[in-house]
Amino acid sequence: MEKRAYDLVSKINRGVAVKVIPGHIATKHSHVNYCVDMTKIKSQLGAAKAAAKMLADRFSSTPVDTIITLDRMKMVGAFMADYLANSHINLNQDIAVITPEINDGIMVLRDNFLPFVKGKRVLLLTASATTGKDVRSVVEGIVYYGGDAVGAAMVFGDEFECKVPVVKIFGMEDIPDYASYAPVECPMCKSKVKVDALVNSYGYSKIVK
């Protein structure tokens, strides 16, 4: 991992932390000046449970039947379902956790997953959202398939317009100079600064220069 990386720790629960790597980073939708690495939250029991508790607490008064997870967040989603199923409003609710296909940014539900969305109250969980494009697309997909989108949760995100309540653990205030640009508008590219790494939901791949 990059030597420039540093830990960003939640002020609410020190068991929840992400690794922040500065640089010129290319993602699916944008170029950013920091990579927010969530491998520990996605992969380790303690960190996943702690993050799930923080997010579930924000939806403790929201009825939820199904959690849709993106970006390899299914373990966190399962813990969220467990916490929510023990909250007053969802007490003993058998909450489903599913990961649908995403094709060209559009959610596709196969017939076997449709019963978990149609006529159900659905919460979206993703790792990060800066532009909000994927979140809005999935929310629209939930409605298209006959579900009731009740909220969106993420580990890291920016402020963006959405038709449902959005909660996050870390935001732009935690990385004050974080910036995201459309690739054609990226000032680092215009200044001939080479891309340091490619990032997707599976992680960080440094480009050898």
Side-chain angles (χ1 to χ4, degrees):
M1 188 56 75
E2 285 277 4
K3 294 180 180 178
R4 296 173 292 176
Y6 66 90
D7 290 329
L8 177 60
V9 181
S10 167
K11 299 179 179 67
I12 298 173
N13 185 335
R14 296 194 63 80
V16 178
V18 295
K19 197 166 290 293
V20 179
I21 308 167
H24 183 187
I25 316 294
T27 74
K28 181 170 59 175
H29 295 309
S30 60
H31 284 199
V32 297
N33 59 344
Y34 288 94
C35 167
V36 181
D37 176 43
M38 306 173 199
T39 302
K40 185 175 289 188
I41 287 175
K42 293 180 181 182
S43 307
Q44 290 188 331
L45 179 71
K49 287 184 72 173
K53 180 67 165 58
M54 289 182 68
L55 293 170
D57 284 348
R58 302 286 297 277
F59 289 101
S60 60
S61 61
T62 302
V64 175
D65 300 304
T66 298
I67 298 174
I68 283 180
T69 65
L70 306 178
D71 293 341
R72 297 176 53 244
M73 290 287 285
K74 197 161 189 176
M75 181 159 71
V76 178
F79 285 126
M80 280 188 70
D82 187 54
Y83 285 125
L84 289 171
N86 286 285
S87 68
H88 176 69
I89 201 163
N90 293 299
L91 192 60
N92 298 322
Q93 176 72 17
D94 191 12
I95 298 173
V97 182
I98 65 173
T99 302
E101 295 173 61
I102 305 293
N103 292 332
D104 295 326
I106 299 173
M107 183 177 77
V108 177
L109 279 185
R110 301 295 177 179
D111 293 351
N112 52 308
F113 276 163
L114 188 57
F116 296 118
V117 174
K118 187 175 182 179
K120 303 297 185 181
R121 296 161 295 195
V122 184
L123 175 65
L124 170 62
L125 170 66
T126 189
S128 65
T130 53
T131 67
K133 182 177 180 180
D134 286 342
V135 170
R136 287 190 294 268
S137 178
V138 173
V139 167
E140 290 172 2
I142 291 168
V143 175
Y144 173 82
Y145 285 106
D148 177 18
V150 298
M154 63 202 65
V155 178
F156 175 76
D158 197 358
E159 300 295 329
F160 54 84
E161 291 186 5
C162 194
K163 295 179 180 179
V164 299
V166 176
V167 303
K168 55 186 180 291
I169 296 175
F170 300 104
M172 296 302 162
E173 65 276 10
D174 297 298
I175 312 175
D177 57 338
Y178 182 99
S180 176
Y181 309 97
V184 295
E185 299 172 354
C186 176
M188 293 176 284
C189 289
K190 291 179 180 179
S191 298
K192 308 298 183 184
V193 177
K194 292 184 178 180
V195 172
D196 294 307
L198 305 177
V199 173
N200 63 15
S201 64
Y202 291 94
Y204 176 96
S205 295
K206 185 176 180 180
I207 296 176
V208 178
K209 299 178 182 179

